[in-house]
Tab-separated table of all heavy atoms in Angstrom:
chain	number	residue	atom	x	y	z
D	468	LEU	N	82.241	120.184	-109.737
D	468	LEU	CA	83.068	119.824	-110.894
D	468	LEU	C	82.253	119.012	-111.968
D	468	LEU	O	82.536	119.135	-113.113
D	468	LEU	CB	84.160	118.799	-110.583
D	468	LEU	CG	85.337	119.381	-109.612
D	468	LEU	CD1	86.481	118.334	-109.575
D	468	LEU	CD2	85.856	120.612	-110.286
D	469	GLY	N	81.360	118.228	-111.482
D	469	GLY	CA	80.567	117.391	-112.527
D	469	GLY	C	79.404	116.527	-111.795
D	469	GLY	O	79.127	116.767	-110.659
D	470	VAL	N	78.940	115.550	-112.467
D	470	VAL	CA	77.847	114.755	-112.040
D	470	VAL	C	78.158	113.341	-112.051
D	470	VAL	O	78.954	112.853	-112.907
D	470	VAL	CB	76.600	114.999	-113.106
D	470	VAL	CG1	75.447	114.260	-112.559
D	470	VAL	CG2	76.374	116.468	-113.265
D	471	VAL	N	77.660	112.547	-111.058
D	471	VAL	CA	77.731	111.155	-110.914
D	471	VAL	C	76.397	110.534	-111.469
D	471	VAL	O	75.396	110.834	-110.894
D	471	VAL	CB	77.952	110.726	-109.523
D	471	VAL	CG1	77.945	109.109	-109.407
D	471	VAL	CG2	79.281	111.199	-109.061
D	472	VAL	N	76.500	109.681	-112.446
D	472	VAL	CA	75.213	109.025	-113.027
D	472	VAL	C	75.236	107.510	-112.494
D	472	VAL	O	76.150	106.786	-112.709
D	472	VAL	CB	75.261	108.984	-114.514
D	472	VAL	CG1	74.047	108.315	-115.091
D	472	VAL	CG2	75.386	110.407	-115.111
D	473	ALA	N	74.214	107.317	-111.649
D	473	ALA	CA	74.112	105.895	-111.075
D	473	ALA	C	72.618	105.491	-111.152
D	473	ALA	O	71.857	105.854	-110.294
D	473	ALA	CB	74.630	105.883	-109.673
D	474	THR	N	72.217	104.755	-112.193
D	474	THR	CA	70.792	104.357	-112.221
D	474	THR	C	70.328	103.402	-111.146
D	474	THR	O	69.247	103.385	-110.762
D	474	THR	CB	70.477	103.733	-113.645
D	474	THR	OG1	71.608	102.843	-113.963
D	474	THR	CG2	70.560	104.896	-114.731
D	475	GLN	N	71.332	102.447	-110.739
D	475	GLN	CA	71.035	101.611	-109.762
D	475	GLN	C	71.508	102.111	-108.386
D	475	GLN	O	72.589	102.200	-108.068
D	475	GLN	CB	71.640	100.228	-110.011
D	475	GLN	CG	71.142	99.024	-109.341
D	475	GLN	CD	71.697	97.743	-109.910
D	475	GLN	OE1	72.259	97.710	-110.979
D	475	GLN	NE2	71.666	96.724	-109.154
D	476	LYS	N	70.538	102.623	-107.560
D	476	LYS	CA	70.955	103.149	-106.268
D	476	LYS	C	69.922	102.929	-105.228
D	476	LYS	O	68.775	102.579	-105.473
D	476	LYS	CB	71.363	104.643	-106.387
D	476	LYS	CG	70.302	105.552	-107.041
D	476	LYS	CD	70.923	106.953	-107.200
D	476	LYS	CE	70.001	107.811	-108.120
D	476	LYS	NZ	70.535	109.107	-108.482
D	477	GLU	N	70.339	103.184	-103.924
D	477	GLU	CA	69.417	103.002	-102.846
D	477	GLU	C	68.126	103.898	-103.062
D	477	GLU	O	68.254	104.988	-103.540
D	477	GLU	CB	70.110	103.447	-101.532
D	477	GLU	CG	69.788	102.793	-100.264
D	477	GLU	CD	68.691	103.474	-99.599
D	477	GLU	OE1	68.442	104.704	-99.877
D	477	GLU	OE2	68.106	102.922	-98.613
D	480	LEU	N	67.626	107.705	-102.632
D	480	LEU	CA	68.542	108.583	-103.361
D	480	LEU	C	68.041	108.814	-104.794
D	480	LEU	O	68.683	109.593	-105.549
D	480	LEU	CB	69.961	107.963	-103.468
D	480	LEU	CG	70.871	107.981	-102.252
D	480	LEU	CD1	72.044	107.162	-102.544
D	480	LEU	CD2	71.181	109.405	-101.945
D	485	LEU	N	73.480	114.040	-107.735
D	485	LEU	CA	74.790	113.844	-107.020
D	485	LEU	C	75.935	114.519	-107.752
D	485	LEU	O	76.160	114.130	-108.948
D	485	LEU	CB	75.011	112.382	-106.920
D	485	LEU	CG	73.951	111.542	-106.192
D	485	LEU	CD1	74.179	110.018	-106.183
D	485	LEU	CD2	73.810	112.096	-104.752
D	487	VAL	N	80.033	115.854	-108.184
D	487	VAL	CA	81.349	115.778	-107.725
D	487	VAL	C	81.808	117.062	-107.291
D	487	VAL	O	81.823	118.026	-108.120
D	487	VAL	CB	82.321	115.217	-108.902
D	487	VAL	CG1	83.795	115.189	-108.436
D	487	VAL	CG2	81.961	113.883	-109.452
D	500	GLU	N	90.900	115.596	-101.706
D	500	GLU	CA	90.252	114.802	-102.738
D	500	GLU	C	88.759	115.296	-102.872
D	500	GLU	O	88.165	115.755	-102.002
D	500	GLU	CB	90.316	113.365	-102.476
D	500	GLU	CG	91.666	112.733	-102.298
D	500	GLU	CD	92.332	112.694	-103.639
D	500	GLU	OE1	91.742	112.664	-104.711
D	500	GLU	OE2	93.616	112.563	-103.613
D	501	ALA	N	88.320	115.184	-104.209
D	501	ALA	CA	86.907	115.444	-104.459
D	501	ALA	C	86.023	114.427	-103.755
D	501	ALA	O	86.434	113.322	-103.396
D	501	ALA	CB	86.653	115.422	-106.012
D	502	VAL	N	84.865	115.005	-103.425
D	502	VAL	CA	83.787	114.129	-102.736
D	502	VAL	C	82.489	114.104	-103.620
D	502	VAL	O	82.410	114.982	-104.511
D	502	VAL	CB	83.376	114.560	-101.285
D	502	VAL	CG1	84.632	114.453	-100.453
D	502	VAL	CG2	82.849	116.002	-101.409
D	503	VAL	N	81.608	113.214	-103.319
D	503	VAL	CA	80.294	113.249	-104.064
D	503	VAL	C	79.202	113.732	-103.052
D	503	VAL	O	79.043	113.246	-101.951
D	503	VAL	CB	79.930	111.825	-104.477
D	503	VAL	CG1	78.554	111.799	-105.142
D	503	VAL	CG2	80.925	111.268	-105.434
D	521	SER	N	78.973	114.380	-93.010
D	521	SER	CA	78.561	113.545	-91.850
D	521	SER	C	76.946	113.608	-91.680
D	521	SER	O	76.252	113.910	-92.629
D	521	SER	CB	79.235	114.013	-90.533
D	521	SER	OG	79.083	113.165	-89.549
D	522	ARG	N	76.496	113.301	-90.500
D	522	ARG	CA	75.061	113.121	-90.379
D	522	ARG	C	74.257	114.450	-90.628
D	522	ARG	O	73.122	114.361	-91.060
D	522	ARG	CB	74.709	112.792	-88.843
D	522	ARG	CG	73.329	112.699	-88.437
D	522	ARG	CD	72.691	111.413	-89.079
D	522	ARG	NE	71.287	111.242	-88.662
D	522	ARG	CZ	70.259	111.551	-89.461
D	522	ARG	NH1	70.429	112.100	-90.665
D	522	ARG	NH2	68.948	111.422	-89.041
D	532	PHE	N	66.162	110.649	-93.355
D	532	PHE	CA	66.873	109.400	-93.112
D	532	PHE	C	67.405	108.913	-94.353
D	532	PHE	O	67.853	107.764	-94.540
D	532	PHE	CB	65.912	108.397	-92.535
D	532	PHE	CG	65.663	108.616	-91.090
D	532	PHE	CD1	64.660	109.363	-90.586
D	532	PHE	CD2	66.534	107.973	-90.174
D	532	PHE	CE1	64.525	109.573	-89.232
D	532	PHE	CE2	66.293	108.167	-88.814
D	532	PHE	CZ	65.354	109.014	-88.371
D	533	THR	N	67.708	109.711	-95.475
D	533	THR	CA	68.420	109.294	-96.613
D	533	THR	C	69.836	109.075	-96.240
D	533	THR	O	70.501	109.866	-95.548
D	533	THR	CB	68.356	110.553	-97.600
D	533	THR	OG1	66.998	110.841	-97.820
D	533	THR	CG2	68.970	110.229	-98.905
D	534	PRO	N	70.453	108.089	-96.810
D	534	PRO	CA	71.777	107.699	-96.527
D	534	PRO	C	72.790	108.623	-97.336
D	534	PRO	O	73.419	108.067	-98.167
D	534	PRO	CB	71.882	106.222	-96.821
D	534	PRO	CG	70.989	106.033	-97.854
D	534	PRO	CD	69.815	106.966	-97.531
D	535	VAL	N	72.924	109.817	-96.979
D	535	VAL	CA	73.723	110.828	-97.604
D	535	VAL	C	74.739	111.405	-96.582
D	535	VAL	O	74.314	111.759	-95.437
D	535	VAL	CB	72.811	111.951	-98.202
D	535	VAL	CG1	73.604	113.247	-98.315
D	535	VAL	CG2	72.274	111.495	-99.535
D	536	ASP	N	76.025	111.417	-96.932
D	536	ASP	CA	77.027	111.961	-95.958
D	536	ASP	C	77.670	113.235	-96.439
D	536	ASP	O	78.668	113.630	-95.801
D	536	ASP	CB	78.030	110.881	-95.501
D	536	ASP	CG	78.888	110.442	-96.632
D	536	ASP	OD1	78.681	110.899	-97.876
D	536	ASP	OD2	79.678	109.538	-96.464
D	537	ALA	N	77.249	113.796	-97.472
D	537	ALA	CA	77.696	115.129	-97.896
D	537	ALA	C	76.556	115.797	-98.693
D	537	ALA	O	75.958	115.172	-99.625
D	537	ALA	CB	78.973	114.896	-98.818
E	516	MET	N	79.415	111.442	-99.983
E	516	MET	CA	79.629	110.080	-100.521
E	516	MET	C	81.031	110.028	-101.195
E	516	MET	O	81.586	111.044	-101.490
E	516	MET	CB	78.533	109.778	-101.459
E	516	MET	CG	77.217	109.483	-100.790
E	516	MET	SD	76.353	110.953	-100.315
E	516	MET	CE	75.684	111.497	-102.033
E	518	LEU	N	83.377	107.636	-104.174
E	518	LEU	CA	83.479	106.646	-105.228
E	518	LEU	C	84.445	105.619	-104.841
E	518	LEU	O	85.286	105.844	-103.902
E	518	LEU	CB	83.909	107.335	-106.523
E	518	LEU	CG	82.964	108.472	-107.030
E	518	LEU	CD1	83.562	109.239	-108.030
E	518	LEU	CD2	81.611	107.910	-107.496
E	546	ASP	N	89.029	108.235	-106.849
E	546	ASP	CA	88.544	109.546	-107.220
E	546	ASP	C	87.678	109.569	-108.457
E	546	ASP	O	87.455	108.483	-108.913
E	546	ASP	CB	89.698	110.546	-107.333
E	546	ASP	CG	90.573	110.421	-108.458
E	546	ASP	OD1	90.190	109.528	-109.361
E	546	ASP	OD2	91.653	110.957	-108.579
E	547	GLU	N	87.256	110.779	-108.958
E	547	GLU	CA	86.310	110.832	-110.098
E	547	GLU	C	86.986	110.338	-111.321
E	547	GLU	O	86.264	110.171	-112.429
E	547	GLU	CB	85.793	112.299	-110.213
E	547	GLU	CG	86.864	113.232	-110.561
E	547	GLU	CD	87.713	113.854	-109.445
E	547	GLU	OE1	87.654	113.187	-108.298
E	547	GLU	OE2	88.477	114.766	-109.692
E	550	ARG	N	91.191	106.853	-110.217
E	550	ARG	CA	92.439	106.713	-109.373
E	550	ARG	C	92.206	106.279	-108.005
E	550	ARG	O	91.383	106.885	-107.332
E	550	ARG	CB	93.342	108.019	-109.568
E	550	ARG	CG	94.760	107.774	-109.028
E	550	ARG	CD	95.415	109.211	-109.396
E	550	ARG	NE	94.734	110.304	-108.871
E	550	ARG	CZ	94.947	110.902	-107.601
E	550	ARG	NH1	95.794	110.332	-106.820
E	550	ARG	NH2	94.197	111.975	-107.295
E	552	VAL	N	92.627	106.234	-104.034
E	552	VAL	CA	92.909	107.199	-102.990
E	552	VAL	C	92.773	106.632	-101.659
E	552	VAL	O	91.653	106.182	-101.323
E	552	VAL	CB	92.066	108.495	-103.161
E	552	VAL	CG1	92.617	109.359	-104.318
E	552	VAL	CG2	90.656	108.198	-103.295
E	561	THR	N	74.215	97.107	-100.292
E	561	THR	CA	72.725	97.277	-100.159
E	561	THR	C	72.018	97.318	-101.503
E	561	THR	O	70.815	97.470	-101.630
E	561	THR	CB	72.330	98.701	-99.384
E	561	THR	OG1	72.638	99.723	-100.213
E	561	THR	CG2	73.077	98.810	-98.126
E	562	VAL	N	72.894	97.122	-102.555
E	562	VAL	CA	72.362	97.492	-103.934
E	562	VAL	C	72.662	96.256	-104.885
E	562	VAL	O	72.413	96.330	-106.059
E	562	VAL	CB	72.804	98.699	-104.634
E	562	VAL	CG1	72.157	99.893	-103.983
E	562	VAL	CG2	74.338	98.768	-104.519
E	571	LEU	N	79.210	103.725	-105.411
E	571	LEU	CA	79.090	104.953	-104.585
E	571	LEU	C	78.793	104.420	-103.145
E	571	LEU	O	77.993	103.546	-102.983
E	571	LEU	CB	77.865	105.650	-105.070
E	571	LEU	CG	77.569	107.005	-104.434
E	571	LEU	CD1	78.590	108.122	-104.897
E	571	LEU	CD2	76.259	107.532	-104.927
E	573	VAL	N	78.765	105.356	-98.789
E	573	VAL	CA	78.584	106.392	-97.719
E	573	VAL	C	79.285	105.877	-96.464
E	573	VAL	O	79.377	104.735	-96.224
E	573	VAL	CB	77.212	106.782	-97.378
E	573	VAL	CG1	76.567	107.444	-98.588
E	573	VAL	CG2	76.347	105.521	-96.814
E	574	SER	N	79.696	106.873	-95.665
E	574	SER	CA	80.386	106.401	-94.338
E	574	SER	C	79.712	106.917	-93.197
E	574	SER	O	78.713	107.721	-93.394
E	574	SER	CB	81.839	106.825	-94.316
E	574	SER	OG	81.859	108.268	-94.457
E	575	SER	N	80.076	106.726	-92.041
E	575	SER	CA	79.585	107.277	-90.731
E	575	SER	C	78.138	106.809	-90.580
E	575	SER	O	77.687	105.723	-91.010
E	575	SER	CB	79.697	108.777	-90.760
E	575	SER	OG	79.439	109.354	-89.541
E	576	ARG	N	77.318	107.492	-89.652
E	576	ARG	CA	76.008	107.173	-89.261
E	576	ARG	C	74.999	106.902	-90.489
E	576	ARG	O	74.090	106.160	-90.413
E	576	ARG	CB	75.425	108.276	-88.390
E	576	ARG	CG	74.036	107.919	-87.908
E	576	ARG	CD	73.920	106.831	-86.940
E	576	ARG	NE	72.493	106.633	-86.410
E	576	ARG	CZ	71.793	105.635	-86.879
E	576	ARG	NH1	72.244	104.777	-87.792
E	576	ARG	NH2	70.520	105.405	-86.378
E	577	GLU	N	75.261	107.563	-91.662
E	577	GLU	CA	74.392	107.513	-92.766
E	577	GLU	C	74.498	106.068	-93.359
E	577	GLU	O	73.504	105.689	-93.992
E	577	GLU	CB	74.961	108.547	-93.939
E	577	GLU	CG	74.783	109.957	-93.445
E	577	GLU	CD	75.610	110.234	-92.173
E	577	GLU	OE1	76.805	109.878	-92.242
E	577	GLU	OE2	75.109	110.894	-91.303
E	580	LEU	N	71.782	104.082	-92.010
E	580	LEU	CA	70.444	104.340	-92.601
E	580	LEU	C	70.143	103.685	-93.822
E	580	LEU	O	68.978	103.614	-94.265
E	580	LEU	CB	70.467	105.922	-92.897
E	580	LEU	CG	70.609	106.861	-91.658
E	580	LEU	CD1	70.489	108.260	-92.104
E	580	LEU	CD2	69.662	106.586	-90.556
E	581	ALA	N	71.112	103.077	-94.537
E	581	ALA	CA	70.955	102.366	-95.715
E	581	ALA	C	70.610	100.868	-95.542
E	581	ALA	O	70.182	100.155	-96.348
E	581	ALA	CB	72.167	102.463	-96.644
E	594	VAL	N	75.791	102.321	-101.735
E	594	VAL	CA	74.348	102.754	-101.832
E	594	VAL	C	74.119	103.010	-103.375
E	594	VAL	O	72.992	103.399	-103.735
E	594	VAL	CB	74.128	103.981	-101.122
E	594	VAL	CG1	74.109	103.736	-99.603
E	594	VAL	CG2	75.042	105.208	-101.461
E	595	GLY	N	75.136	102.770	-104.264
E	595	GLY	CA	74.808	102.907	-105.691
E	595	GLY	C	75.927	102.278	-106.512
E	595	GLY	O	77.010	102.142	-106.113
E	596	ILE	N	75.485	101.800	-107.786
E	596	ILE	CA	76.385	101.322	-108.734
E	596	ILE	C	76.582	102.378	-109.841
E	596	ILE	O	75.626	102.866	-110.377
E	596	ILE	CB	75.909	99.994	-109.369
E	596	ILE	CG1	75.735	98.900	-108.262
E	596	ILE	CG2	76.937	99.505	-110.428
E	596	ILE	CD1	75.161	97.565	-108.800
E	597	VAL	N	77.800	102.821	-110.092
E	597	VAL	CA	78.052	104.000	-110.888
E	597	VAL	C	78.027	103.572	-112.333
E	597	VAL	O	78.789	102.733	-112.720
E	597	VAL	CB	79.400	104.691	-110.497
E	597	VAL	CG1	79.773	105.870	-111.457
E	597	VAL	CG2	79.276	105.210	-109.071
E	598	ASP	N	77.280	104.251	-113.131
E	598	ASP	CA	77.257	104.047	-114.656
E	598	ASP	C	78.450	104.884	-115.209
E	598	ASP	O	79.244	104.292	-116.077
E	598	ASP	CB	75.939	104.559	-115.235
E	598	ASP	CG	74.767	103.758	-114.723
E	598	ASP	OD1	74.888	102.559	-114.513
E	598	ASP	OD2	73.756	104.411	-114.315
E	599	ARG	N	78.440	106.276	-114.866
E	599	ARG	CA	79.575	106.996	-115.387
E	599	ARG	C	79.637	108.312	-114.569
E	599	ARG	O	78.720	108.695	-113.848
E	599	ARG	CB	79.436	107.310	-116.838
E	599	ARG	CG	78.241	108.236	-117.109
E	599	ARG	CD	78.005	108.335	-118.672
E	599	ARG	NE	76.897	109.259	-118.906
E	599	ARG	CZ	75.583	108.845	-118.853
E	599	ARG	NH1	75.201	107.658	-118.534
E	599	ARG	NH2	74.699	109.844	-119.020
E	600	VAL	N	80.862	108.971	-114.548
E	600	VAL	CA	81.098	110.211	-113.910
E	600	VAL	C	81.381	111.207	-114.986
E	600	VAL	O	82.310	111.031	-115.724
E	600	VAL	CB	82.276	110.033	-112.930
E	600	VAL	CG1	82.574	111.425	-112.107
E	600	VAL	CG2	81.967	108.901	-111.884
E	601	GLU	N	80.656	112.224	-115.010
E	601	GLU	CA	80.879	113.281	-116.109
E	601	GLU	C	81.515	114.558	-115.395
E	601	GLU	O	80.837	115.290	-114.716
E	601	GLU	CB	79.486	113.762	-116.647
E	601	GLU	CG	78.827	112.561	-117.329
E	601	GLU	CD	77.418	112.915	-117.768
E	601	GLU	OE1	76.859	113.915	-117.293
E	601	GLU	OE2	76.890	112.100	-118.523
E	602	VAL	N	82.815	114.715	-115.686
E	602	VAL	CA	83.497	116.034	-115.124
E	602	VAL	C	84.171	116.710	-116.287
E	602	VAL	O	84.429	116.197	-117.344
E	602	VAL	CB	84.465	115.559	-114.077
E	602	VAL	CG1	83.805	115.159	-112.829
E	602	VAL	CG2	85.489	114.560	-114.586
Side-chain angles (χ1 to χ4, degrees):
Chain D
L468 290 190
V470 183
V471 174
V472 182
T474 45
Q475 198 169 340
K476 54 187 168 184
E477 211 269 346
L480 284 171
L485 301 176
V487 177
E500 298 289 339
V502 297
V503 179
S521 192
R522 179 69 179 104
F532 281 89
T533 304
V535 155
D536 63 2
Chain E
M516 284 82 74
L518 299 168
D546 69 10
E547 68 280 8
R550 190 171 52 89
V552 282
T561 72
V562 290
L571 185 70
V573 296
S574 57
S575 193
R576 179 68 178 103
E577 294 62 47
L580 297 181
V594 294
I596 300 176
V597 175
D598 300 318
R599 65 186 184 280
V600 180
E601 299 172 348
V602 288

